[in-house]
Amino acid sequence: MVTKLEQLYEGKAKKIFKTDEQSIYWVVYKDDATAFDGKKKGTIKGKGYYNNQISAHFFKYLEDKCQVPTHYVETVSETEMLVKAVEIIPIEVIARNIAAGSLAKRIGVAEGTKLKKPVLEFCYKSDELGDPMINDYHIAALELASEEELAEIKRLAWLVNEKLSAYVANFNLTLVDFKLEFGRFRGQVILADEISPDTCRFWDSTTQEKLDKDRFRRDLGQVEEAYQEVLRRIRG
Ligand code: UDP
C-alpha cells in the first residue's frame, strides 16, 4: 500500500495528492458541486462516494473488457482511488449522441434530438478563458497535443463512446453525452480524470428522466438520488 503525501492540486470536484510512489497519485472525490464556470456552487451529499465508485466501475470495465488504457489503479476508500501519475493533456474531449445542454442551444435543436452521427468536440482546458471550444488546428497551433496523440485521443474517445453507450444500455440508461480527459504516461496516451454523472449525461432510457448533474444545474431536485441510482444500476 502506498502512503498519501502532500496535496498537488485541488480542483472543483477532486483533490490530488502525491504518494511515496512517484508514478502514483492519490485522488479524493469531493461532495462539492459547481456549474456554469463555477458561478453556481453547492454540495451534493454522497457525491464523492458515488463518483469514486462509478468512475472505478467504468474505468475497470473499459480497461479489462474494451482495451482502453486508463489511469485507474485501485480503490482505497469510499471516496478515494489511486491513479497513474499522468501529465494531463489540457483538452476536454466531449462526445455527443443526443443534442443537450450547450449543443442544443448552439445549433438550435430541441434537447433530446438524436444526432444522425455522433459528434466529437474539443475545449481548451482553461478556467480563466472558460474552456473555449477549439479544433484540430488550434490544438496544433498551441501544441496542446502532437498529431499522433490527437489521433489516439480521437480513437479512444470513439471507442469509449461505443463501449460505454452499449454497456449502460444494459441498465436502461442512455449515454447522451460526456466529457473525457486524457493524460501522458510513459509515452502513451491514457484515459484520465473521471467518468461519472458529473461528466456524463445519463437519461433513463424509458422515461428520459435525467440521472446526472443537470439535476443540480437546473434545480430539478433528487440530485443525490440520481447519482445513487446510477451506481445502483451499474452494480446490478
Ligand atoms: N462537461 C463536463 N465538464 C465541463 C463541460 C462539460 O464534464 O466543463 C460534460 C457535461 O456534463 C456533459 C457534456 O460534457 O455531459 C457536454 O456538456 P455541454 O457542452 O452541453 O455543457 P453544459 O451544458 O454541461 O454546460
Side-chain angles (χ1 to χ4, degrees), residues 92 94 96 100-102 131 177-179 198-201 217:
E92 296 195 341
I94 295 174
R96 304 178 180 270
S102 68
D131 299 340
D177 58 29
F178 58 94
K179 186 260 303 180
D198 270 11
T199 61
C200 303
R201 286 193 169 95
R217 293 189 189 98

Side-chain angles (χ1 to χ4, degrees), residues 152-163:
E152 182 64 356
I153 286 170
K154 290 179 185 175
R155 185 185 74 82
L156 291 172
W158 288 128
L159 184 58
V160 170
N161 188 41
E162 179 194 327
K163 299 294 184 182

Side-chain angles (χ1 to χ4, degrees), residues 1-9 15-28 71 73-74 76 80-86 185-186:
M1 201 20 200
V2 300
T3 305
K4 188 170 159 192
L5 300 178
E6 78 268 20
Q7 185 175 304
L8 253 184
Y9 173 80
K15 293 182 189 178
I16 317 288
F17 295 81
K18 285 191 170 182
T19 70
D20 56 355
E21 187 68 62
Q22 225 189 17
S23 63
I24 304 283
Y25 289 158
W26 186 298
V27 181
V28 180
H71 72 159
V73 176
E74 68 174 304
V76 283
E80 300 165 294
M81 63 168 64
L82 302 181
V83 300
K84 293 173 185 156
V86 302
F185 187 75
R186 300 184 175 154

Side-chain angles (χ1 to χ4, degrees), residues 92-100 102-104 106-107 109 113-122 133-134 154 157-158 161 175-180:
E92 296 195 341
V93 180
I94 295 174
R96 304 178 180 270
N97 299 303
I98 294 175
S102 68
L103 179 71
R106 189 170 358 115
I107 63 173
V109 302
T113 307
K114 189 170 170 12
L115 300 165
K116 301 277 187 215
K117 286 182 72 175
V119 165
L120 209 57
E121 295 171 356
F122 303 110
M133 192 184 295
I134 54 173
K154 290 179 185 175
W158 288 128
N161 188 41
L175 183 60
V176 172
D177 58 29
F178 58 94
K179 186 260 303 180
L180 301 177

